[in-house]
Amino acid sequence: ARHSRTMSLAAAGPIRAAPIASAQRTGRPGKPAPASSRADVAGIGRRDALARAATIAARKLLPGAIVLPAAPNAFADPVDLAPFVGKAGFFIRYPAGWVRATDRPGTDNGKSETLALVGNFKDIDTVSVRREPMALHRDFAEAAAAEGGGAEDASSSTPSSTSSSTSSSTSDTTARRVALALTAAERDAVAANQSFGVVGGVENGRSGVMDFALGNASVADGPGASKGTAQPYFAYEYFTEVCRANIEEGAGGAKVCVGPRGDVLDTVRRVNYAVATESEGYLYLVKASAVEGRWETVGPLLREVAESFRVP
């Protein structure tokens, strides 16, 4: 029964997710090209850039699964976390040295909004808290439904160890369905080779997901909105490679990030750890994110911050 996994706010530890050992990827098979293999010369012409992309494509067409960055270093120096109760009523902990860039009370007008943004903006390690109406996330509701159903039959002769194993397997499957539902837009953008979202202040105000990989997903119960209640908090990890200009497809199917003058631009490669839960008609989505090269160092800290989130 789910109540056996309930955590109190005072004693709630992080919602531990196993390190990523493997991942699934949409689009082309193969590892992401290393930084040294990406076109990074701004002065070359479009034709040269697309020709170089053919070499990258050849490497990516080799069999194999995409590999996310190594699991974060579990022995990183501990960081003191300060409690933060947002104006919208949620609870989270974050490093005292970080900047609290955004803290909004929320409008309750049925619209999606970012309630909080904190981070180490020098290195672009960030954690955001976003709230979106559940009416926009029927896919999440359907995927998460299995987590709350099905009491065990007391007359069953199934050994308790087998029941526990089955319950864990069901939870993992549910968590992965939730992760797939909440990352559908990014995966679809990669598959369709099209721009996704809008980013203010960048060239053309456009941003496209060029590559995506989903890691492990898990679920654990934590405090609900009402005293003495519990609810599932889903956690999952994923990788994105983003182009902040135009995505074009070159020879061999390789994608390149092309600026307005035809020059090839560097892409942004980040690892993200998200925690999602529903409360009072809203989906709360906490996203911790760092550039790929920093994940091994700051990953444990970002996970701990995201997992400390509790609904209002």
Side-chain angles (χ1 to χ4, degrees):
R2 196 171 66 193
H3 67 271
S4 63
R5 296 183 288 134
T6 301
M7 302 180 292
S8 67
L9 181 58
I15 307 170
R16 298 298 181 191
I20 294 178
S22 63
Q24 293 182 345
R25 170 201 175 159
T26 58
R28 306 172 307 281
K31 294 183 178 180
S36 60
S37 71
R38 297 197 303 270
D40 55 5
V41 181
I44 65 178
R46 183 187 300 250
R47 181 176 300 176
D48 291 338
L50 297 181
R52 181 176 295 186
T55 301
I56 299 174
R59 295 174 183 174
K60 288 191 173 186
L61 288 173
L62 294 175
I66 189 170
V67 177
L68 281 167
N73 178 10
F75 301 101
D77 293 336
V79 175
D80 291 334
L81 300 183
F84 168 30
V85 178
K87 293 180 180 178
F90 64 82
F91 174 90
I92 199 169
R93 295 182 183 276
Y94 73 102
W98 279 15
V99 174
R100 190 186 302 179
T102 303
D103 182 14
R104 300 189 179 105
T107 58
D108 288 326
N109 60 3
K111 294 183 178 180
S112 302
E113 54 190 331
T114 298
L115 300 176
L117 175 64
V118 298
N120 164 17
F121 294 101
K122 177 182 177 181
D123 297 311
I124 323 179
D125 306 329
T126 62
V127 176
S128 63
V129 178
R130 187 166 175 81
R131 184 175 71 178
E132 301 182 356
M134 281 297 294
L136 302 178
H137 287 284
R138 299 187 187 283
D139 51 353
F140 168 84
E142 293 172 358
E147 182 60 18
E152 294 183 12
D153 184 352
S155 63
S156 174
S157 59
T158 304
S160 59
S161 59
T162 303
S163 298
S164 176
S165 175
T166 301
S167 176
S168 175
S169 176
T170 300
S171 292
D172 289 346
T173 300
T174 301
R176 188 156 192 85
R177 284 204 304 265
V178 166
L180 288 170
L182 294 179
T183 58
E186 288 92 337
R187 291 183 289 107
D188 290 346
V190 172
N193 191 31
Q194 64 187 13
S195 292
F196 168 74
V198 174
V199 177
V202 302
E203 290 184 287
N204 299 327
R206 303 174 66 183
S207 179
V209 180
M210 293 177 62
D211 214 345
F212 173 89
L214 179 63
N216 284 357
S218 63
V219 59
D221 280 354
S226 301
K227 185 177 180 179
T229 63
Q231 65 185 63
Y233 288 71
F234 297 92
Y236 55 95
E237 193 167 330
Y238 62 100
F239 162 88
T240 56
E241 181 176 9
V242 174
C243 166
R244 293 185 171 179
N246 292 319
I247 300 174
E248 296 194 6
E249 189 167 343
K255 297 177 182 179
V256 291
C257 186
V258 180
R261 294 181 295 276
D263 50 334
V264 174
L265 305 179
D266 286 336
T267 57
V268 180
R269 300 164 64 89
R270 297 184 70 84
V271 180
N272 311 273
Y273 185 77
V275 172
T277 191
E278 184 270 337
S279 181
E280 299 183 346
Y282 284 98
L283 171 69
Y284 286 84
L285 185 61
V286 183
K287 185 174 80 170
S289 179
V291 294
E292 182 183 32
R294 283 183 53 77
W295 187 252
E296 185 173 357
T297 301
V298 302
L301 173 62
L302 292 175
R303 282 182 172 180
E304 187 173 0
V305 173
E307 291 169 353
S308 72
F309 175 81
R310 298 295 179 258
V311 296

